[in-house]
């Protein structure tokens, strides 16, 4: 028993040394884990702003274009003017009538015309003291280490309040031809500001990222956005979001659904009719030999239906002549007058009617053609008796 004690003490000493080493070389800390957005927040970059605004009784909606501007007491948020340059004149009139416009820096810089009538632009870079310049982030900095304080000014005067914005190192600034009604600035100049134009105002923020789902709740971003516009309970905020614009197919279906259905049905029926078939629609009748009488009757019905009886009359004339050659002696040597007389004497028919029926002029109405054909057929049958 006593022989094992030194070994136990050695093991305990080793474990104690390992424990002390771990305790001296490790520490507990909190790490921020970025959870990916889910649900509506995954495809709506203004989800957080909309829900935060609704908590303050502020109504929000997203619009695909500026064809219809909000009411003159409303608010419009724009961070992309690429597809709306044709509406800048209407936008200017809307602001002058009382509208409140919030722009991102990118939207302002994308339109020289907007910079001209708003009096806003970018200031020339200037050198600042090291104490005033925002400091670069050290390696291994935590999430809010890039947040710096910006001093607030109201109508050009210090308000004594500062707001924190997490924008990193901002070495550029805005310029304004008018005294801003509200602004946030650092050592480089205005980083966010609002100027009054007519009855309305234009506010510009340094980065549209301030309103993003992940960024809005950092620092004082939400307060900055609300103060920049400014917002109050009961306001209506329209957010320009061209991504939500209705595509062409959806627009056509909404405006002309009935016409599209009819056109597709007509196209489908046309294709179905033109497609090759695997068999006949109905079985073909068996091939039978027609009698000559049946063929003549069918030809006569067709001729009467189409009112084209001249060919049938010529056939009757030829049939009567062939019968006369066989039944009347020396018929082929007679002239036309003697032939008419011989036929009238043999058949007992009127010679004048026979002359008209056998005449060279085969034109006439369908009724006269029919009368001539009936007379010729009667004469042919009398010869063959």
């Amino acid at each position: 028993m006593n022989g094992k004690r030194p070994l136990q003490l050695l093991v305990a000493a080793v474990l104690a040394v390992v424990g002390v080493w771990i305790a001296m070389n490790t520490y507990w800390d909190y790490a921020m884990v970025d959870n990916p957005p889910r649900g509506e927040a995954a495809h709506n970059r203004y989800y957080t702003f909309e829900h935060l605004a609704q908590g303050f009784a502020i109504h929000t909606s997203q619009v695909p274009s500026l064809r219809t501007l909000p009411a003159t007491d409303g608010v419009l948020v724009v961070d992309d003017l690429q597809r709306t340059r044709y509406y800048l004149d209407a936008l200017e009139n809307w602001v002058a009538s009382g509208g409140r416009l919030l722009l991102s820096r990118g939207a302002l810089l994308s339109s020289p015309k907007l910079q001209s009538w708003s009096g806003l632009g970018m200031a020339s870079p200037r050198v600042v003291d090291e104490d005033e310049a925002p400091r670069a982030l050290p390696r291994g900095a935590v999430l809010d280490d890039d947040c710096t304080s910006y001093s607030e000014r109201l109508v050009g005067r210090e308000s004594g309040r500062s707001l924190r914005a997490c924008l990193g190192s901002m070495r550029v600034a805005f310029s304004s031809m008018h005294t801003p009604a509200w602004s946030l600035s650092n050592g480089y100049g205005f980083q966010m500001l609002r100027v009054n134009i007519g009855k309305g105002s234009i506010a510009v923020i340094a980065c549209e990222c301030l309103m993003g789902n992940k960024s809005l709740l950092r620092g004082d971003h939400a307060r900055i956005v609300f103060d920049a516009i400014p917002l109050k309970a009961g306001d209506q905020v329209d957010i320009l979001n061209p991504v939500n614009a209705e595509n062409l197919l959806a627009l056509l279906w909404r405006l002309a659904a009935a016409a599209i259905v009819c056109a597709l049905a007509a196209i489908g029926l046309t294709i179905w009719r033109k497609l090759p078939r695997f068999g006949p629609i109905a079985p073909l009748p068996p091939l039978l030999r027609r009698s000559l009488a049946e063929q003549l009757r069918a030809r006569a019905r067709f001729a009467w239906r189409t009112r084209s009886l001249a060919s049938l009359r010529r056939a009757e004339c030829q049939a009567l002549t062939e019968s006369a050659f066989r039944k009347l002696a020396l018929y082929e040597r007679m002239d036309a007058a003697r032939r008419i007389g011989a036929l009238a004497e043999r058949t007992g028919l009127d010679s004048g009617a026979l002359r008209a029926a056998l005449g060279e002029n085969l034109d006439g109405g369908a009724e006269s053609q029919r009368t001539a054909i009936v007379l010729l057929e009667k004469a042919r049958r009398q010869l063959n008796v």
Side-chain angles (χ1 to χ4, degrees):
M1 186 71 180
N2 293 333
K4 294 183 179 180
R5 187 174 296 278
L7 180 60
Q8 293 174 350
L9 292 175
L10 179 61
V11 172
V14 171
L15 291 177
V17 170
V18 172
V20 171
W21 183 89
I22 292 175
M24 295 180 62
N25 290 276
T26 59
Y27 63 93
W28 293 100
D29 198 359
Y30 291 97
M32 298 294 295
V33 179
D34 229 356
N35 292 325
R38 293 175 296 177
E40 185 182 352
H43 54 80
N44 181 7
R45 55 184 296 214
Y46 302 104
Y47 177 82
T48 303
F49 173 76
E50 290 177 334
H51 278 260
L52 183 62
Q54 290 169 9
F56 291 93
I58 297 172
H59 308 286
T60 63
S61 62
Q62 296 190 21
V63 295
S65 71
L66 296 182
R67 291 182 180 178
T68 303
L69 292 172
T72 52
D73 60 346
V75 178
L76 180 62
V77 177
V78 178
D79 64 11
D80 183 6
L81 283 173
Q82 294 298 323
R83 305 180 186 179
T84 58
R85 294 181 178 179
Y86 298 107
Y87 306 102
L88 287 181
D89 292 335
L91 192 62
E92 179 181 0
N93 295 331
W94 175 77
V95 171
S97 299
R100 287 166 285 170
L101 177 63
L102 177 64
L103 297 171
S104 66
R105 181 174 63 182
L108 176 66
L109 297 182
S110 67
S111 174
K113 184 176 182 180
L114 178 60
Q115 298 177 50
S116 175
W117 65 260
S118 67
L120 301 176
M122 298 305 297
S124 302
R126 63 187 182 89
V127 179
V128 297
D129 297 336
E130 293 183 359
D131 295 337
E132 297 180 0
R135 300 185 183 277
L137 293 179
R139 182 174 297 179
V142 297
L143 182 64
D144 286 340
D145 281 352
D146 60 341
C147 299
T148 56
S149 296
Y150 295 84
S151 59
E152 183 186 55
R153 291 174 179 267
L154 300 177
V155 197
R157 296 180 180 181
E158 292 279 356
S159 67
R161 187 177 67 159
S162 62
L163 299 175
R164 287 171 55 82
C166 307
L167 302 174
S169 179
M170 300 296 295
R171 299 181 179 274
V172 293
F174 292 112
S175 64
S176 174
M177 298 177 63
H178 313 283
T179 301
W182 172 91
S183 65
L184 289 180
S185 58
N186 61 3
Y188 292 99
F190 297 124
Q191 298 301 321
M192 298 155 221
L193 72 162
R194 180 181 75 247
V195 294
N196 294 328
I197 297 181
K199 297 180 181 180
S201 63
I202 295 182
V204 184
I205 55 178
C207 178
E208 63 273 10
C209 59
L210 285 176
M211 298 182 63
N213 289 331
K214 294 181 180 180
S215 176
L216 186 65
L217 301 180
R218 295 183 62 194
D220 294 320
H221 292 183
R223 181 179 294 275
I224 290 172
V225 173
F226 276 55
D227 289 350
I229 295 177
L231 289 176
K232 60 183 183 298
D235 279 342
Q236 171 65 42
V237 179
D238 288 354
I239 304 171
L240 178 64
N241 189 6
V243 176
N244 290 339
E246 191 174 18
N247 58 49
L248 179 60
L249 292 179
L251 179 63
L252 290 176
W253 179 256
R254 181 169 59 84
L255 298 179
I260 293 175
V261 170
C262 292
L264 291 177
I267 293 172
L269 291 174
T270 302
I271 295 175
W272 175 77
R273 190 175 188 278
K274 297 294 184 182
L275 284 176
R277 304 182 185 278
F278 293 102
I281 299 177
L284 295 175
L287 298 178
L288 298 175
R289 185 179 181 85
R290 275 197 206 179
S291 66
L292 181 60
E294 185 180 2
Q295 186 172 355
L296 288 175
R297 284 194 293 271
R299 176 66 184 274
R301 285 194 296 270
F302 174 78
W304 177 250
R305 187 169 65 250
T306 60
R307 296 297 193 267
S308 300
L309 302 178
S311 59
L312 187 59
R313 183 176 175 183
R314 290 192 191 94
E316 283 290 347
C317 290
Q318 184 178 356
L320 178 61
T321 301
E322 291 176 355
S323 296
F325 283 156
R326 292 193 304 270
K327 298 296 184 179
L328 298 178
L330 303 176
Y331 186 79
E332 66 276 6
R333 297 182 182 180
M334 297 179 184
D335 57 11
R338 293 178 59 189
R339 287 182 176 183
I340 295 299
L343 287 173
E345 183 180 354
R346 179 65 181 267
T347 60
L349 299 175
D350 181 62
S351 59
L354 288 173
R355 184 180 299 106
L358 291 170
E360 294 292 335
N361 184 15
L362 299 181
D363 297 332
E367 193 62 35
S368 64
Q369 295 277 24
R370 186 182 69 84
T371 302
I373 291 170
V374 170
L375 181 64
L376 293 173
E377 179 63 18
K378 185 177 181 180
R380 188 183 67 81
R381 293 182 180 184
Q382 289 291 344
L383 283 178
N384 293 331
V385 173

